[in-house]
Amino acid sequence: MNVSLHAIGRFTTCALTLASGVIALSQDVLAQAPAQTQTLTKDNGAPVGDNQNSQTAGPGGPTLLQDVHLVQKLQRFDRERIPERVVHATGTGAHGEFTVTDDLSDLSKAKLFAKNTKTPVFVRFSTVIPSRSGAETTRDPRGFATKFYTQEGNWDLVGNNLPIFFIRDAIKFPDMIHALKPSPISNVQEPERVFDFFSHVPEATHMLTRVYSNYGTPATYREMNGSSVHALKLVNARGDYVYAKFAWNSRQGERNLRPQEIPAIQGKNTSHATVDLYGAINAGKFPQWDLTVQVLKLEDLGKFDFDPLDATKIWPGIPERKVGTMVLNKVPENFFEATEQVAMAPGNLVPGIEASEDRMLQGRLFSYVDTQHHRLGANFQSLSINKPLVAVNNNHIDGAASTGNRKGLVNYEPSRLAPLKEDPRARSSNLPLTGTTQQARIAKTLNFRQAGEFYRSLSAQERDDLIANLSGDLKAVKNVDSLDTMLSHFWKADADYGNRLVKAVGANPGKVAALAAALKE
């Protein structure tokens, strides 16, 4: 494969060709410098006891706010860029409408799920790692975030085009993004840093396999599926809840780019997906997606040999139930006011939809709202693109850019002078808890099996492309331990997959096979 052709289509971690002496020098330093072990600390200098696992209420309970280290990492991470988004900086959006075709009242009391209900939506598609105005051909997950302006407030379904994620605990999210972002020395994405990190994160094997396949380079936003990634809870009028994963299935079909197609597209236009989306809408060819849901009962969670609330896993064999159809039919009149100022947050939920105990989701509940406050100010939800259709009545007052025109002498609750009532329908469901607070990984990790199953589901051509894409970046890794560890992860997922990568990068197959044999799922 031509080097420049391959480099243009690479994963976002290494989208630029490693051509300069500065880059080579920084990689040599990384590969050869002896490791100096120092104690990891918080910002106040106190040592960190566990940087791998968030504190949770027992083995299956939610993440605890008392985990100061987790909160500090997320707070500091959210404030690293001003005012550009730290992740999902490059994006495009469109207005539309969602129509329910199947009444979900048996599962959820949310009014938007009543049959024939039409709900205005705004969708923002994005790449994750590149800075603003990055190329839309970049090998990277694609954000697929939808804001539903419902009768009960806004619900944000904030997901990706791929149905899983790299990591399962939000405490590792800042570390992961730091590894994927450009080097602090060269300001270029470097495979050495990427795979140094992921060689310590075996659960990433599944997501890396998907991203390095052609699914990592969707052809257009219109021809791209979406996923909630996380399980949410649907709560009905009786207070019963189930766990649910949502998916967007493109009615235009799903199409991805092969490595050799990328240079021609990127050479003509780095915003080809935006041009395609806007062109279709302006021509009256409104793109559509069907929303489906997979459902598991609480008592079914323990029946799997993996944790169904692990964001690195799909739910194979669980049927999908169609909920409704979304159509995008209007281009924003002002890109900045809509696409740049839209503020999606997984914590924007309505009665009948709740967060699950998924550890990645639990961290995102805090992180997304916190970063929107930092990026757009305290009153970001009163901006027109974020403003709910229903009236907002609370005592959150003042702050920068306050335009609420609030009146009255009562800015507290309870009050007899200006009472505000609570709605019992909006009370959260009850989660049974056991055990003690803890910092430990989940019990059933199953890090490699689904990666192998995905590899074997690909066609021969798609496997060839995957090997070419992934080996191209692995060849740039100079640290032998990192390289062999990564190869053993892929070998553990599927022996043919690992062996082909070993041959492509010129590694020792016997050593890699032995490392793979020692790995546990």
Side-chain angles (χ1 to χ4, degrees):
M1 180 182 295
N2 181 281
V3 173
S4 61
L5 179 153
H6 169 73
I8 295 176
R10 297 168 78 168
F11 182 29
T12 185
T13 61
C14 39
L16 301 178
T17 304
L18 303 180
S20 74
V22 173
I23 298 169
L25 176 61
S26 67
Q27 286 197 328
D28 286 338
V29 170
L30 281 167
Q32 299 172 12
Q36 296 182 355
T37 303
Q38 298 180 353
T39 300
L40 185 66
T41 72
K42 304 171 188 174
D43 279 355
N44 67 340
V48 173
D50 189 338
N51 192 44
Q52 314 307 316
N53 305 286
S54 303
Q55 291 184 28
T56 61
T63 304
L64 300 177
L65 189 60
Q66 72 180 34
D67 190 343
V68 175
H69 181 53
L70 165 66
V71 172
Q72 184 180 95
K73 286 183 72 173
L74 295 176
Q75 284 178 320
R76 287 297 303 269
F77 176 74
D78 291 340
R79 288 163 173 79
E80 289 180 353
R81 301 291 186 274
I82 298 174
E84 181 181 287
R85 291 172 171 89
V86 178
V87 288
H88 297 278
T90 296
T92 193
H95 299 274
E97 186 175 65
F98 174 70
T99 303
V100 173
T101 56
D102 182 6
D103 192 319
L104 290 190
S105 60
D106 58 322
L107 301 178
S108 175
K109 59 189 175 185
K111 292 182 179 179
L112 86 132
F113 291 138
K115 190 171 184 178
N116 297 324
T117 298
K118 294 185 177 182
T119 302
V121 299
F122 185 83
V123 174
R124 187 175 188 271
F125 302 107
S126 58
T127 53
V128 178
I129 298 300
S131 299
R132 193 157 53 196
S133 299
E136 291 179 330
T137 48
T138 300
R139 182 170 302 282
D140 199 28
R142 299 299 190 272
F144 195 134
T146 308
K147 186 179 289 292
F148 296 79
Y149 303 90
T150 87
Q151 305 167 41
E152 301 172 289
N154 290 350
W155 172 40
D156 293 351
L157 184 58
V158 191
N160 289 333
N161 68 313
L162 300 175
I164 56 169
F165 201 57
F166 296 95
I167 53 176
R168 60 170 64 101
D169 195 315
I171 202 170
K172 301 310 297 176
F173 187 72
D175 297 303
M176 185 196 76
I177 298 300
H178 284 169
L180 292 172
K181 283 285 190 178
S183 161
I185 296 177
S186 66
N187 198 37
V188 173
Q189 296 108 336
E190 297 182 1
E192 190 77 49
R193 303 174 69 250
V194 175
F195 292 112
D196 175 43
F197 174 77
F198 282 124
S199 67
H200 296 86
V201 187
E203 69 263 28
T205 306
H206 188 188
M207 183 64 165
L208 288 171
T209 302
R210 287 180 181 265
V211 171
Y212 273 98
S213 76
N214 293 340
Y215 288 88
T217 50
T220 68
Y221 293 133
R222 293 183 304 107
E223 299 164 294
M224 181 180 84
N225 291 343
S227 173
S228 65
V229 179
H230 307 291
L232 299 172
K233 286 180 178 176
L234 297 182
V235 187
N236 64 22
R238 297 187 302 274
D240 303 325
Y241 67 83
V242 294
Y243 292 89
K245 279 196 174 189
F246 289 94
W248 292 111
N249 296 311
S250 172
R251 285 196 167 189
Q252 293 72 239
E254 194 173 22
R255 186 168 68 91
N256 302 308
L257 298 177
R258 295 194 64 202
Q260 57 266 41
E261 296 179 274
I262 295 171
I265 295 173
Q266 184 171 315
K268 294 178 181 178
N269 191 338
T270 58
S271 301
H272 78 285
T274 296
V275 172
D276 173 85
L277 179 68
Y278 283 12
I281 293 175
N282 288 332
K285 299 177 181 178
F286 303 141
Q288 299 181 49
W289 287 261
D290 289 332
L291 182 67
T292 63
V293 64
Q294 292 177 294
V295 173
L296 288 177
K297 295 180 179 179
L298 175 61
E299 56 267 29
D300 293 332
L301 295 185
K303 297 179 181 179
F304 294 81
D305 57 358
F306 61 90
D307 187 340
L309 301 185
D310 177 355
T312 69
K313 303 294 184 294
I314 61 171
W315 290 356
I318 304 302
E320 290 184 272
R321 175 177 172 181
K322 182 180 172 182
V323 181
T325 299
M326 175 176 71
V327 57
L328 298 183
N329 53 23
K330 182 182 176 183
V331 171
E333 295 178 356
N334 185 299
F335 181 87
F336 176 80
E337 290 184 2
T339 304
E340 283 301 297
Q341 292 196 135
V342 69
M344 305 285 192
N348 284 341
L349 302 166
V350 296
I353 308 173
E354 298 180 5
S356 74
E357 297 76 60
D358 178 330
R359 295 186 187 188
M360 266 303 300
L361 176 58
Q362 289 278 314
R364 293 177 75 210
L365 297 176
F366 167 81
S367 181
Y368 273 61
V369 173
D370 185 60
T371 198
Q372 306 296 9
H373 275 101
H374 168 62
R375 193 171 66 87
L376 297 170
N379 292 288
F380 71 89
Q381 300 208 68
S382 64
L383 295 171
S384 59
I385 190 64
N386 300 316
K387 192 173 184 178
L389 299 180
V390 297
V392 175
N393 297 310
N394 57 42
N395 297 307
H396 302 161
I397 64 171
D398 302 339
S402 178
T403 58
N405 196 28
R406 191 186 186 284
K407 297 181 176 65
L409 78 164
V410 176
N411 57 0
Y412 51 86
E413 196 282 328
S415 169
R416 292 185 180 86
L417 302 177
L420 289 174
K421 66 178 181 179
E422 300 161 337
D423 184 352
R425 285 186 65 255
R427 290 181 65 88
S428 299
S429 62
N430 295 325
L431 174 70
L433 296 175
T434 58
T436 62
T437 62
Q438 66 171 49
Q439 283 189 275
R441 71 179 190 184
I442 62 175
K444 295 187 285 187
T445 53
L446 202 70
N447 291 323
F448 307 106
R449 191 178 73 189
Q450 289 193 1
E453 290 172 345
F454 176 74
Y455 173 79
R456 291 187 290 275
S457 74
L458 298 174
S459 67
Q461 174 185 288
E462 289 171 327
R463 291 187 199 183
D464 291 344
D465 291 344
L466 167 61
I467 299 301
N469 295 331
L470 183 49
S471 65
D473 285 353
L474 289 172
K475 287 176 183 177
V477 178
K478 296 185 178 181
N479 186 286
V480 176
D481 289 340
S482 295
L483 177 60
D484 287 346
T485 300
M486 288 304 313
L487 291 170
S488 72
H489 292 175
F490 299 121
W491 190 300
K492 184 71 172 181
D494 184 276
D496 176 69
Y497 182 18
N499 190 41
R500 291 185 66 183
L501 286 172
V502 165
K503 290 180 179 179
V505 302
N508 184 330
K511 181 181 178 182
V512 172
L515 289 172
L519 291 171
K520 295 181 180 179
E521 280 279 11

